[in-house]
């Protein structure tokens, strides 16, 4: 009988040959391996940003596009247009008689559409109460982390043209 | 008894190495978010330094992991 139980014990140890402490040790190493793989994931993310920045540099110049006639917008009025692509909403504002400015309409916080409040002289995002200066698009108040991208404008007689993006200083 | 003590100590070293890898990973996460934020703000100049620093940190993480394997 004792011999039989010894055989059973041996069979049991063959089936479950991993010691509890060793098992814990292996799991820690597996966890470390997972962390290292995640570290490579972070590197891949940085590489992706770098690749995107290189592609952006090689992109051809943005198109020049007629967006409105100067006289069709009253002082304090706005006109919505798409630039440079059909899905890129922008807003053209005439804050004063001799001044026109245009910005991307997407709030830099969570991409809600901004609108122009002539009384306040600000571009406002209704979603989270973000406000931008109509003069240069800088953030005045609220959660947006960056200024609104500004569209570079040119005037050809009566016609207002979008010619690209204004570089941030 | 001695083997148990050695195992206990080596487990402490393993824990310390894992903590170091986690620290490296946290720095990489911060770096990635900062680089992305900078890129979205139109400053593409931070992209290359971000890649270089992230690669160095990934190298440190791999070195720590290899040390861990040697320990085993």
């Amino acid at each position: 009988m004792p011999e039989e139980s010894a055989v059973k014990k041996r069979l049991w140890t063959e089936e479950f040959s991993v010691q509890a402490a060793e098992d814990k040790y292996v799991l820690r190493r597996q966890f470390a391996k997972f962390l290292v793989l995640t570290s490579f994931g972070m590197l891949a993310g940085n590489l992706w940003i770098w690749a995107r920045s290189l592609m952006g540099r090689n992109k051809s110049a943005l198109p020049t596009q007629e967006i409105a006639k100067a006289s069709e917008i009253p002082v304090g009025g706005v006109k919505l247009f798409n630039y440079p692509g059909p899905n890129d909403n922008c807003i053209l504002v005439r804050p004063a008689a001799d001044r026109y400015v245009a910005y991307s309409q997407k709030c830099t916080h969570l991409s809600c559409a901004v609108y122009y409040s002539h009384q306040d002289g600000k571009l406002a995002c209704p979603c989270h109460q973000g406000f931008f200066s109509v003069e240069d698009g800088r953030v005045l108040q609220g959660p947006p982390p960056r200024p609104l991208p500004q569209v570079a404008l040119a005037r050809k007689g009566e016609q207002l043209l979008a010619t690209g993006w204004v570089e941030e200083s | 008894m001695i083997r148990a003590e050695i195992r206990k100590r080596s487990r402490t070293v393993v824990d310390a190495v894992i903590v170091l890898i986690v620290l490296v990973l946290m720095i990489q996460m911060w770096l990635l978010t900062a680089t992305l934020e900078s890129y979205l703000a139109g400053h593409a100049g931070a992209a290359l330094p971000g890649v270089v620093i992230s690669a160095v940190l990934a190298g440190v993480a791999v070195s720590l992991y290899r040390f861990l394997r040697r320990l085993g």
Side-chain angles (χ1 to χ4, degrees):
Chain A
M1 280 297 270
E3 269 180 37
E4 201 176 312
S5 74
V7 170
K8 271 184 185 173
K9 196 179 176 187
R10 247 181 274 132
L11 281 172
W12 181 88
T13 47
E14 272 174 30
E15 285 291 325
F16 300 95
S17 57
V18 179
Q19 297 288 319
E22 278 177 22
D23 187 38
K24 203 174 177 187
Y25 192 66
V26 171
L27 283 174
R28 282 178 188 185
R29 275 216 259 161
Q30 283 175 340
F31 179 58
K33 195 175 184 180
F34 169 75
L35 289 176
V36 171
L37 287 174
T38 313
S39 168
F40 276 99
M42 297 293 141
L43 175 60
N46 272 99
L47 280 168
W48 178 77
I49 294 169
W50 183 48
R52 285 291 300 251
S53 71
L54 288 179
M55 278 189 272
R57 198 182 296 167
N58 295 334
K59 213 184 273 180
S60 58
L62 289 164
T64 298
Q65 181 184 316
E66 292 182 0
I67 53 173
K69 282 185 179 170
S71 57
E72 75 179 89
I73 307 165
V75 175
V78 300
K79 184 182 179 184
L80 303 181
F81 64 100
N82 297 315
Y83 182 81
N87 297 319
D88 302 313
N89 299 334
C90 295
I91 182 169
L92 173 67
V93 184
R94 187 179 184 184
D98 56 346
R99 184 160 164 72
Y100 297 86
V101 282
Y103 300 97
S104 164
Q105 211 191 358
K106 277 185 194 170
C107 177
T108 52
H109 179 221
L110 290 174
S111 299
C112 289
V114 298
Y115 68 91
Y116 175 58
S117 167
H118 187 53
Q119 286 86 357
D120 303 328
K122 297 172 186 171
L123 290 153
C125 175
C127 293
H128 302 99
Q129 305 302 309
F131 292 93
F132 301 90
S133 165
V134 77
E135 294 304 317
D136 51 10
R138 72 180 187 280
V139 180
L140 297 174
Q141 188 185 326
R146 297 181 296 279
L148 279 178
Q150 187 174 3
V151 179
L153 296 176
R155 196 164 171 171
K156 193 177 174 187
E158 254 302 271
Q159 207 58 246
L160 290 171
L161 309 169
T163 58
W165 297 106
V166 174
E167 293 290 323
E168 267 184 74
S169 55
Chain B
M1 193 73 176
I2 294 167
R3 283 185 71 176
E5 183 63 24
I6 289 169
R7 176 153 289 177
K8 194 179 163 190
R9 281 183 187 181
S10 80
R11 205 171 295 157
T12 308
V13 173
V14 170
D15 284 345
V17 169
I18 287 175
V19 166
L20 286 175
I21 296 175
V22 168
L23 279 174
V24 165
L25 199 56
M26 281 167 71
I27 296 169
Q28 277 189 304
M29 280 180 189
W30 173 83
L31 189 69
L32 181 63
T33 48
T35 314
L36 183 62
E37 182 61 32
S38 174
Y39 169 69
L40 290 175
H43 305 294
L48 185 58
V51 168
V52 172
I53 296 168
S54 193
V56 169
L57 289 170
V60 170
V62 168
S63 306
L64 286 167
Y65 178 66
R66 288 180 71 178
F67 170 70
L68 208 65
R69 279 176 69 98
R70 273 209 303 274
L71 210 67

